[in-house]
Amino acid sequence: MLVRFHGAAGEVTGSCHEVEANGHRLLLDCGMIQGSEADEARNAEPFAFEAGKIDAVVLSHAHIDHCGRLPLLVRRGFRGRIHTQAATADLLKVMLEDAASLAEMDAERDNRHRSEGRSDHQPLFTREDVARVMKQVQGHPYDVPLEILPGVTLVLRDAGHILGSASVEIRADEASGTRRLVFSGDLGPNGTPILRDPTPVPQADLLLMESTYGGRTHRDRADTIVELGEIFAKAKRDGGNVLIPAFAVGRSQELLYWFARHYDDWGLAAWQIFLDSPMAAKVTEVYDRHEELFDEDARRVWRDKPNPFRLPNLHFTADVSASQAINRVQSGAIIIAGSGMCNGGRIRHHLRHGLPNPRNHVVFVGYQAQGTLGRRLVDGAERVRIFGEEVLVRAQRHTVGGLSAHTDQNGLIAWATHIGGRPPIVLVHGEDDARDALALRLRQKTGAEVLLARPEMQRKV
Ligand SMILES: [Zn+2]
């Protein structure tokens, strides 16, 4: 077996690794590059391989930086199967359709403002491309070995990151014996609400591992939950609203889980809760259909508490008029809306209305990247621009850590050291600082060879 690194090799996004196994060609993930405009322009460029020569794709999970270029792969001639966990197959449709709609809308708007004679702005892919992708997708359960190509076996194991997320094991029967390649996918921290902890992998000959938070240790989740409760209590006394920018996948469902679990002690019956994101509503439906993947704690909450996805005062606002109506609520509303970093989506409307009021509270529950509106607010800006308008920021701001969907340095090391065979480790999906820090600790801890993936680097398994 041989692995070639194409994406997320020296950066976090654009996950894509090519595997040669038993004379077949596989891709692990086919993700979109996200970041600045120049970075994102790279998505339209040709692949470093011929799409028509790939025999199969294995997808670790449905985040767009892992699946977002599949429509291009299919458009450029890939005709094989896309193997993934069954819940990921369901989420994939939601994620890709949303990305295609946004791309189509952006292109349309651009073309309207374009002067005569200039070439049309084409969307990166369309909903038709997505429909073609979905015909090639095959959903599988965790932990069941599947022969996906002659002499090539796949095992998906729970990675505890988002619903359906998997660590991938590829086994190839070679003349010298069976060789095992393990790709961590994105790994969640132990104790992530709703989801099970990552399933340990028994054995590997080469390990590709994510390293997003390879240089950090997270705050304790329990402290974060206490802090959330205190914020709701204060907001109640102040008589304002609570705005929570949140990612549609994972974080939104996690918040609803905590709301159900602390429904009484946080006095949530006195609030109206809005999940104001059509995409988060669709993702929540997928979570709802896959209770078989929930962990013990979640089963207990579903049995003993109000159903997190059907809280009596929870409103899913699908259409724009219902979303706008929320702005007339002056107090007692908890509004969860995307995007998670406030650089798009409905949260911007709520911020424009809510930021000038000192009785309101804005709670940041996720990472805010440099250059986003969320980051400016977290950094304490007193004025921000939203829809070209200057908005005075008088609302109270809170940043709560400890809800990350990625495990930290200790979690990564614990997961890696569990694997038998002391395999060499190649670090992917991380900035260089994080990878350097993690590589150092891993070498000390395991004595294994640890490498940082670089674009077009290759490695024998
Ligand atoms: Zn992810």
Side-chain angles (χ1 to χ4, degrees), residues 13 19 97 104 124 127 184 192 285 332 353 367 395 440 450 455:
T13 65
V19 181
E97 280 179 354
E104 286 176 39
L124 191 60
R127 277 167 289 182
S184 67
T192 296
E285 268 175 46
H353 276 85
Y367 177 69
L440 190 71
V450 184

Side-chain angles (χ1 to χ4, degrees), residues 253-300:
Q253 293 74 32
E254 190 176 326
L255 285 167
L256 296 178
Y257 167 94
W258 291 118
F259 289 179
R261 211 164 138 175
H262 295 281
Y263 197 74
D264 293 328
D265 41 309
W266 288 356
L268 291 176
W271 293 84
Q272 292 302 312
I273 303 166
F274 298 92
L275 186 64
D276 189 26
S277 155
M279 170 132 112
K282 283 184 203 156
V283 170
T284 304
E285 268 175 46
V286 177
Y287 268 70
D288 206 23
R289 282 208 298 278
H290 286 281
E291 263 187 53
E292 79 280 3
L293 301 179
F294 292 3
D295 70 355
E296 281 306 311
D297 282 347
R299 282 170 207 280
R300 218 168 301 130

Side-chain angles (χ1 to χ4, degrees), residues 61 63 65-66 161 186 406 429:
H61 66 289
H63 273 146
D65 61 318
H66 294 256
H161 168 64
D186 286 1
H406 287 271
H429 203 282

Side-chain angles (χ1 to χ4, degrees), residues 51-62:
K53 293 210 167 129
I54 301 293
D55 298 303
V57 173
V58 178
L59 175 63
S60 66
H61 66 289

Side-chain angles (χ1 to χ4, degrees), residues 84-401:
T84 194
Q85 210 281 334
T88 296
D90 291 348
L91 285 177
L92 180 65
K93 186 165 182 286
V94 176
M95 302 298 282
L96 290 181
E97 280 179 354
D98 182 75
S101 304
L102 285 179
E104 286 176 39
M105 275 188 316
D106 275 357
E108 221 173 278
R109 192 174 5 172
D110 251 34
N111 291 336
R112 244 182 285 131
H113 296 300
R114 202 158 277 233
S115 50
E116 289 280 325
R118 298 265 316 266
S119 63
D120 265 7
H121 172 158
Q122 292 294 326
L124 191 60
F125 55 83
T126 63
R127 277 167 289 182
E128 257 172 65
D129 295 317
V130 174
R132 251 174 262 137
V133 168
M134 293 314 297
K135 286 196 185 119
Q136 290 171 236
V137 172
Q138 219 170 26
H140 303 291
Y142 287 123
D143 304 317
V144 179
L146 306 150
E147 192 173 25
I148 54 170
L149 292 163
V152 181
T153 302
L154 165 70
V155 187
L156 300 169
R157 292 188 179 85
D158 203 330
H161 168 64
I162 58 169
L163 190 79
S165 63
S167 299
V168 175
E169 178 182 337
I170 304 284
R171 279 182 222 155
D173 302 323
E174 296 183 349
S176 56
T178 303
R179 301 294 291 170
R180 288 177 165 84
L181 169 69
V182 170
F183 169 43
S184 67
D186 286 1
L187 290 168
N190 281 350
T192 296
I194 306 175
L195 306 179
R196 294 187 194 127
D197 293 346
T199 304
V201 176
Q203 196 82 26
D205 297 302
L206 182 71
L207 174 59
L208 315 187
M209 188 162 85
E210 72 122 320
S211 50
T212 317
Y213 288 126
R216 272 184 40 178
T217 46
H218 291 326
R219 263 195 78 192
D220 190 45
R221 188 183 285 106
D223 295 343
T224 299
I225 300 312
V226 171
E227 206 181 330
L228 270 178
E230 287 165 359
I231 293 167
F232 290 124
K234 180 152 196 327
K236 194 79 229 166
R237 288 197 298 275
D238 291 342
N241 290 335
V242 179
L243 309 184
I244 311 180
F247 297 110
V249 189
R251 196 58 41 83
S252 292
Q253 293 74 32
E254 190 176 326
L255 285 167
L256 296 178
Y257 167 94
W258 291 118
F259 289 179
R261 211 164 138 175
H262 295 281
Y263 197 74
D264 293 328
D265 41 309
W266 288 356
L268 291 176
W271 293 84
Q272 292 302 312
I273 303 166
F274 298 92
L275 186 64
D276 189 26
S277 155
M279 170 132 112
K282 283 184 203 156
V283 170
T284 304
E285 268 175 46
V286 177
Y287 268 70
D288 206 23
R289 282 208 298 278
H290 286 281
E291 263 187 53
E292 79 280 3
L293 301 179
F294 292 3
D295 70 355
E296 281 306 311
D297 282 347
R299 282 170 207 280
R300 218 168 301 130
V301 167
W302 257 257
R303 194 184 59 221
D304 301 340
K305 300 279 180 180
N307 182 319
F309 302 153
R310 293 181 184 76
L311 297 173
N313 48 349
L314 169 63
H315 312 277
F316 293 92
T317 40
D319 55 62
V320 174
S321 60
S323 170
Q324 286 165 343
I326 304 171
N327 287 323
R328 291 196 289 274
V329 184
Q330 291 297 314
S331 86
I334 297 171
I335 305 159
I336 305 171
S339 70
M341 297 193 278
C342 313
N343 45 345
R346 292 181 176 177
I347 192 68
R348 289 180 304 168
H349 294 274
H350 300 302
L351 289 170
R352 183 171 64 149
H353 276 85
L355 285 175
N357 184 346
R359 287 184 322 216
N360 289 338
H361 293 252
V362 186
V363 187
F364 294 93
V365 292
Y367 177 69
Q368 306 297 317
Q370 207 64 258
T372 59
L373 173 58
R375 179 60 164 262
R376 284 195 289 286
L377 288 168
V378 163
D379 286 346
E382 288 174 11
R383 286 181 170 76
V384 290
R385 284 194 92 75
I386 303 177
F387 302 123
E389 224 176 77
E390 190 170 88
V391 179
L392 202 62
V393 186
R394 296 176 66 210
Q396 302 169 56
R397 287 164 266 186
H398 313 268
T399 306
V400 297

